[in-house]
Amino acid sequence: MSALPGTPASPGTGTSTDVGAAVSRWLAPVLEHTRQDAPASGSVTLHHFGYVRLVACEALELRLSRGPRSIAQDASEAVALLAPRNGTVRLAQDGRGAHVESGQLALIDLRRPFSVEHRDHARMLFFRVPVHALHLHAALLRSVTARALTPKGGVAALLPLVLRHLEKSAARTPPAVAEGFGGIVTELVAALVEELTEEAEAETPRTGRHQLVVTIRQYIDRHLDDPELSAERIAGAHLISVRYLHRLFEGEGVTVGRLILRRRVEECARELARRGRVSPSISVVAARWGFRNAAHFSRAFKAVHGHSPQQWRRLAGAAAADTTATAGGETAHERGPDRAVAAPARPSRAS
């Protein structure tokens, strides 16, 4: 990448003394603010680690903000891990504010408005990671932005060591090795988000967990017709990690995936058992409740009810006909054994 006006750059790196322009190009479009209403005095250096960018910024009295107008210029589908190298950085996003000190970390979602401010001689690092590489729901990221993370243990303690090494060795790291480091940083950032959400979830009281399970069950019922319904989507919609979602259902006697499958089969069975002048085909019913594959639907249905969908519909029709005949005055004894047909079994509640 070619450098902005300033110091010449070697391939794969960039340097610039135009702080605001460099940050806008290499991190995300931002507005620069200074008390003197003049460009900040300093420098910005760029290093590539595959698709991960290290943007090292040094300036006097630096304040950067990203608002709706900046976002309209560039969506910047990425997050940034902020690591101050001296002093304290004031970070604000999603209605939260944090003072991030040297030795701490903080996450910024570059797709939404934020502001970063350092009133003294600032030296800070931004590690820019594409959102698609993290495989995280946007709601999870929103729950952990603008928080000062102290490396006491876990991933938060490991990340600073890795970032410090990358900062020191960036200029002499071969491209192939640098790309591997970028993958490591990406995995650690994703693990950090998971770790932070799990810590918050662990503090949820028992009554809160029960209510959360009830809420998730209701959510599943409302979205049964969506073929894309999955544990990942459910977790993201409720601001929890997939791991915690599965842990919530350990006491329910059924996994999330099997619960979705069972509830879909139950709704299909209920619809197939209805009598009417116009009955939809089995494939239409299956598709209506989120099944994409007819063979998969048939196997799932038989596993729950012990009958194929065709058998279930025939048995339900016969049982309904017998009920009508009985209501008309014919007793079971008068029908005789040859005409007695068992009604379909009630939907199984087994996991």
Side-chain angles (χ1 to χ4, degrees), residues 125-175:
L125 306 179
F126 297 94
F127 287 82
R128 186 184 189 277
V129 183
V131 170
H132 68 81
L134 295 172
H135 304 292
L136 294 172
H137 196 281
L140 285 182
L141 287 171
R142 188 183 291 268
S143 69
V144 299
T145 54
R147 290 171 54 182
L149 310 175
T150 303
K152 295 180 179 179
V155 179
L158 178 61
L159 251 177
L161 301 177
V162 175
L163 302 183
R164 192 173 297 115
H165 172 75
L166 296 186
E167 179 191 7
K168 292 179 179 179
S169 62
R172 60 180 185 275
T173 302

Side-chain angles (χ1 to χ4, degrees), residues 69 91 112 120 139 177 207 218 233 251-252 267 275 334:
R69 183 175 298 181
L91 169 64
R112 299 196 303 281
D120 299 315
V177 177
T207 54
Q218 293 171 345
R233 178 163 292 188
E252 297 296 304
E267 293 301 327
R275 295 190 68 201
E334 291 169 334

Side-chain angles (χ1 to χ4, degrees), residues 36 50 81 142 166 188 195 206 249 264 289 307 329 334:
Q36 294 80 15
L81 189 65
R142 188 183 291 268
L166 296 186
L188 289 175
E195 188 176 85
R206 184 176 298 274
F249 276 80
R264 282 176 171 161
W289 291 103
H307 301 290
E334 291 169 334

Side-chain angles (χ1 to χ4, degrees), residues 9-324:
S10 61
T13 67
T15 59
S16 175
T17 55
D18 189 341
V19 176
V23 173
S24 292
R25 183 176 179 182
W26 296 330
L27 187 67
V30 295
L31 293 177
E32 180 187 357
H33 310 271
T34 59
R35 292 181 183 177
Q36 294 80 15
D37 196 22
S41 175
S43 65
V44 180
T45 304
L46 168 71
H47 293 283
H48 284 281
F49 293 90
Y51 49 71
V52 174
R53 300 177 191 172
L54 166 56
V55 180
C57 184
E58 186 169 0
L60 292 173
E61 192 192 357
L62 179 65
R63 184 185 174 200
L64 305 172
S65 67
R66 179 159 163 79
R69 183 175 298 181
S70 300
I71 292 172
Q73 296 176 26
D74 181 352
S76 292
E77 293 291 321
V79 300
L81 189 65
L82 168 64
R85 280 295 173 254
N86 70 303
T88 301
V89 177
R90 168 69 178 175
L91 169 64
Q93 185 171 51
D94 296 328
R96 293 189 295 272
H99 289 88
V100 189
E101 300 179 354
S102 176
Q104 295 182 317
L105 302 172
L107 280 165
I108 306 172
D109 192 332
L110 300 178
R111 298 170 296 180
R112 299 196 303 281
F114 69 87
S115 65
V116 171
E117 180 179 6
H118 198 309
R119 296 187 176 182
D120 299 315
H121 183 215
R123 187 164 179 268
M124 63 186 84
L125 306 179
F126 297 94
F127 287 82
R128 186 184 189 277
V129 183
V131 170
H132 68 81
L134 295 172
H135 304 292
L136 294 172
H137 196 281
L140 285 182
L141 287 171
R142 188 183 291 268
S143 69
V144 299
T145 54
R147 290 171 54 182
L149 310 175
T150 303
K152 295 180 179 179
V155 179
L158 178 61
L159 251 177
L161 301 177
V162 175
L163 302 183
R164 192 173 297 115
H165 172 75
L166 296 186
E167 179 191 7
K168 292 179 179 179
S169 62
R172 60 180 185 275
T173 302
V177 177
E179 186 172 354
F181 279 134
I184 293 173
V185 171
T186 302
E187 292 296 327
L188 289 175
V189 172
L192 176 64
V193 175
E194 292 274 356
E195 188 176 85
L196 292 174
T197 53
E198 286 183 7
E199 287 175 0
E201 292 150 6
E203 298 173 359
T204 305
R206 184 176 298 274
T207 54
R209 293 187 187 186
H210 172 73
Q211 184 56 49
L212 182 56
V213 170
V214 172
T215 300
I216 290 173
R217 283 180 173 271
Q218 293 171 345
Y219 178 90
I220 290 173
D221 283 345
R222 290 196 306 270
H223 295 83
L224 283 175
D225 59 343
D226 183 0
E228 301 297 331
L229 182 64
S230 64
E232 290 75 13
R233 178 163 292 188
I234 295 168
H238 294 84
L239 302 181
I240 60 176
S241 66
V242 175
R243 190 181 307 171
Y244 184 68
L245 173 66
H246 289 312
R247 201 155 62 234
L248 279 174
F249 276 80
E250 286 177 357
E252 297 296 304
V254 62
T255 65
V256 175
R258 293 185 71 84
L259 175 62
I260 295 172
L261 187 66
R262 189 182 71 192
R263 288 291 299 117
R264 282 176 171 161
V265 167
E266 288 174 352
E267 293 301 327
C268 289
R270 185 175 291 108
E271 190 163 346
L272 291 173
R274 294 193 190 112
R275 295 190 68 201
R277 297 181 63 184
V278 180
S279 298
S281 68
I282 290 174
S283 60
V284 168
V285 172
R288 183 178 295 164
W289 291 103
F291 286 100
R292 288 174 166 170
N293 182 279
H296 175 231
F297 167 61
S298 183
R299 289 194 300 270
F301 196 99
K302 192 166 185 178
V304 174
H305 292 293
H307 301 290
S308 70
Q310 294 86 349
Q311 292 171 327
W312 177 268
R313 172 168 267 180
R314 286 198 300 270
L315 290 170
D322 285 350
T323 301
T324 302

